[in-house]
Amino acid sequence: MQFEYVNPMAGLAMLIIGLFLIVFGYFEYGITPVVVGLVLVAYYRKYLWQILGISQL
């Protein structure tokens, strides 16, 4: 796996983990991973779309 693919996958994982924490009632612990995950996904969206197989418009 190439190095540039690590950050978008980590961002996606943090986003999912943060959402699970918020759903299960730990809002104060879940908001930080959600924000960091969103920033990483937004910044590395080109690589994330390549990994997920989504074509860019």
Side-chain angles (χ1 to χ4, degrees):
M1 179 177 283
Q2 296 180 7
F3 181 71
E4 61 261 9
Y5 293 146
V6 173
N7 285 333
M9 292 306 290
L12 189 60
M14 288 182 73
L15 180 65
I16 292 169
I17 290 168
L19 289 174
F20 273 118
L21 287 172
I22 290 173
V23 166
F24 290 119
Y26 297 105
F27 181 78
E28 60 275 354
Y29 297 116
I31 194 67
T32 303
V34 167
V35 171
V36 173
L38 283 175
V39 169
L40 286 173
V41 166
Y43 188 74
Y44 293 106
R45 67 184 172 273
K46 178 179 78 167
Y47 298 118
L48 185 61
W49 289 346
Q50 287 177 358
I51 294 168
L52 297 177
I54 302 171
S55 65
Q56 292 177 319
L57 297 175

